[in-house]
């Protein structure tokens, strides 16, 4: 019995000691991190507000060595990453000369101090001047072509055209690459069973163009989707270019025109909305028929066709 009590007390003491040890260790870490430390840190300069045609060359050295003082908590992130990004405005904070951006580190030390924040006390910065080399690309505006694969639900279709928020984009790159580009395709937009209005954002397909950037990199397309139906109407046939010395009689005098239209405007269609012509100049010698063609139809009619494929005639 005494042995069991002794073992129990020993286990309790071990647990208490472990808890005490952990708390003491945590307290020690917090007290250490609350102290001020001086050390060197690396600052990586990142230019912002650059024109699209400006490209910073890869061999440009954009690192500054800073000697600072800060709390241990503030310096902990440098255990996991080797630098801190400092953003510099390319329009106001640097001097431009001979395809170079020159940043006077010492004279504009206050910019770095503002970017670092009040948690850091800044002592020294090296080098005194930072030079970032750049190259200027050419620009060109080209049309955007939407690649699409639309499948509408039965009885639905697009009303009018598919619209784009912008018709052209700016390309930035070497002139040798831009010269041969006349238009840019979007990535394929595939939609099925469409019943509702279309509103989608699509990325431009730049996979074929190395070293060329599009601004913007995507466009928005949108369109109205409505219920559609088919209709048929009789339209008079007009013969044109008949020679003055030739009289003809032709049959039929009217043809059936089938058309595809949105349901809302179906009842507004009349024969005057269409014009069907036969051109006598298209008749070959010995031919006794003409081909009717629709030459006028409303813009809002999706498609239209003449059911009769020929108009027979005789010369009188």
């Amino acid at each position: 019995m005494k042995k069991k009590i002794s073992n129990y007390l020993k286990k309790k003491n071990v647990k208490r000691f472990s808890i005490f040890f952990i708390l003491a260790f945590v307290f020690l870490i917090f007290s250490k991190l609350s102290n001020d430390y001086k050390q060197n840190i690396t600052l990586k300069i990142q230019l912002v507000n650059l024109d699209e045609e400006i490209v910073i060359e890869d061999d440009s050295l954009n690192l500054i060595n800073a000697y600072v003082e800060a709390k241990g908590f503030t310096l902990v992130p440098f255990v996991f990453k080797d630098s801190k990004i400092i953003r510099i405005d390319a329009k106001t904070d640097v001097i431009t000369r001979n395809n170079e951006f020159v940043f006077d580190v010492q004279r504009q030390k206050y910019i770095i101090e503002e970017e670092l924040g009040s948690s850091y006390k800044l002592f020294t910065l090296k080098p005194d001047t930072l030079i970032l080399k750049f190259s200027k690309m050419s620009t060109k505006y080209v049309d955007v072509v939407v690649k699409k694969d639309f499948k509408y639900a039965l009885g639905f279709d697009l009303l009018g055209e598919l619209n784009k928020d912008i018709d052209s984009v700016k390309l930035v790159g070497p002139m040798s690459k831009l010269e041969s580009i006349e238009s840019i395709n979007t990535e394929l937009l595939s939609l099925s069973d469409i019943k509702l209005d279309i509103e989608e954002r699509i990325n431009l397909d730049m996979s074929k163009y190395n070293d060329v950037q599009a601004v913007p990199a995507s466009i928005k397309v949108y369109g109205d989707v409505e219920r559609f139906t088919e209709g048929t109407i009789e339209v008079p046939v007009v013969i044109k270019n008949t020679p003055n010395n030739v009289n003809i009689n032709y049959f039929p005098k009217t043809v059936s025109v089938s058309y595809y239209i949105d349901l809302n405007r179906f009842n507004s269609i009349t024969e005057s909305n269409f014009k069907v012509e036969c051109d006598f100049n298209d008749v070959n010698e010995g031919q006794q028929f003409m081909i009717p063609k629709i030459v006028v139809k409303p813009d809002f009619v999706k498609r239209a066709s003449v059911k009769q494929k020929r108009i027979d005639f005789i010369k009188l």
Side-chain angles (χ1 to χ4, degrees):
M1 185 67 178
K2 289 181 179 180
K3 190 174 182 180
K4 288 183 178 180
I5 293 172
S6 175
N7 289 339
Y8 174 75
L9 291 174
K10 284 180 180 179
K11 289 180 180 179
K12 293 288 285 185
N13 288 334
V14 169
K15 288 181 179 179
R16 287 175 181 172
F17 177 78
S18 299
I19 294 171
F20 174 78
F21 179 79
I22 293 171
L23 290 174
F25 180 75
V26 171
F27 177 77
L28 177 63
I29 294 296
F30 270 86
S31 65
K32 288 291 185 182
L33 292 177
S34 298
N35 293 333
D36 291 328
Y37 296 91
K38 294 178 181 178
Q39 76 172 58
N40 288 309
I41 63 172
T42 301
L43 306 178
K44 184 178 288 186
I45 298 301
Q46 183 183 85
L47 284 175
V48 297
N49 201 18
L50 279 168
D51 293 333
E52 289 92 351
E53 61 266 25
I54 298 296
V55 177
I56 302 297
E57 296 183 1
D58 293 335
D59 60 352
S60 292
L61 188 63
N62 64 338
L63 301 179
I64 295 176
N65 185 47
Y67 186 55
V68 300
E69 181 180 80
K71 299 289 184 185
F73 290 108
T74 303
L75 296 173
V76 164
F78 288 94
V79 176
F80 306 100
K81 59 181 182 180
D82 57 2
S83 63
K84 181 177 176 65
I85 292 177
I86 301 295
R87 291 172 177 80
I88 302 297
D89 194 310
K91 294 286 195 298
T92 59
D93 299 335
V94 295
I95 298 171
T96 306
R97 70 180 187 197
N98 298 327
N99 289 348
E100 292 178 342
F101 289 123
V102 181
F103 179 58
D104 192 326
V105 177
Q106 296 300 329
R107 181 173 293 179
Q108 296 180 283
K109 178 181 176 182
Y110 68 92
I111 296 176
I112 298 175
E113 289 176 327
E114 289 176 358
E115 282 285 304
L116 284 174
S118 59
S119 300
Y120 293 86
K121 184 177 180 181
L122 186 57
F123 292 112
T124 61
L125 294 168
K126 291 182 181 180
D128 295 335
T129 304
L130 207 62
I131 297 177
L132 303 175
K133 297 179 182 179
F134 70 87
S135 55
K136 194 168 186 179
M137 297 294 191
S138 299
T139 61
K140 179 181 181 180
Y141 283 89
V142 296
D143 293 334
V144 176
V145 178
V146 179
K147 288 183 65 177
K148 62 184 188 295
D149 179 18
F150 289 175
K151 293 180 176 62
Y152 296 93
L154 185 64
F156 289 83
D157 210 321
L158 183 67
L159 183 65
E161 299 295 328
L162 186 68
N163 299 305
K164 298 173 284 190
D165 60 343
I166 53 173
D167 292 319
S168 63
V169 294
K170 180 166 73 170
L171 300 184
V172 181
M175 180 52 71
S176 59
K177 300 284 183 70
L178 299 184
E179 285 177 340
S180 60
I181 304 175
E182 298 301 328
S183 62
I184 290 291
N185 292 333
T186 66
E187 295 179 352
L188 179 65
L189 177 61
S190 183
L191 301 174
S192 60
D193 196 34
I194 304 172
K195 297 178 182 177
L196 302 176
D197 292 344
I198 298 168
E199 186 172 342
E200 300 284 341
R201 181 160 289 279
I202 332 171
N203 292 328
L204 301 179
D205 184 5
M206 303 299 295
S207 58
K208 297 189 297 184
Y209 308 107
N210 296 327
D211 304 322
V212 176
Q213 178 186 3
V215 183
S218 64
I219 67 166
K220 187 171 79 170
V221 295
Y222 53 95
D224 297 329
V225 174
E226 297 283 353
R227 286 186 178 274
F228 273 70
T229 187
E230 286 190 349
T232 304
I233 195 168
E234 289 294 313
V235 178
V237 177
V238 177
I239 311 297
K240 71 174 187 176
N241 294 323
T242 305
N244 293 330
N245 60 343
V246 174
N247 292 320
I248 64 170
N249 189 19
Y250 60 93
F251 181 83
K253 298 290 193 297
T254 65
V255 291
S256 296
V257 172
S258 63
Y259 55 92
Y260 193 56
I261 189 173
D262 61 286
L263 204 57
N264 292 332
R265 285 185 279 203
F266 178 77
N267 292 327
S268 66
I269 287 292
T270 64
E271 67 175 49
S272 62
N273 293 122
F274 298 92
K275 184 176 182 181
V276 176
E277 286 184 346
C278 291
D279 192 341
F280 201 81
N281 286 340
D282 294 335
V283 176
N284 297 321
E285 186 175 351
Q287 183 176 310
Q288 297 296 310
F289 64 89
M290 297 175 287
I291 306 298
K293 297 177 183 178
I294 298 173
V295 294
V296 175
K297 77 173 183 63
D299 292 336
F300 54 83
V301 167
K302 197 75 176 178
R303 55 182 177 267
S305 62
V306 179
K307 289 190 174 183
Q308 287 82 0
K309 301 304 179 185
R310 55 186 280 172
I311 302 296
D312 295 310
F313 73 92
I314 57 173
K315 294 181 181 179
L316 302 177

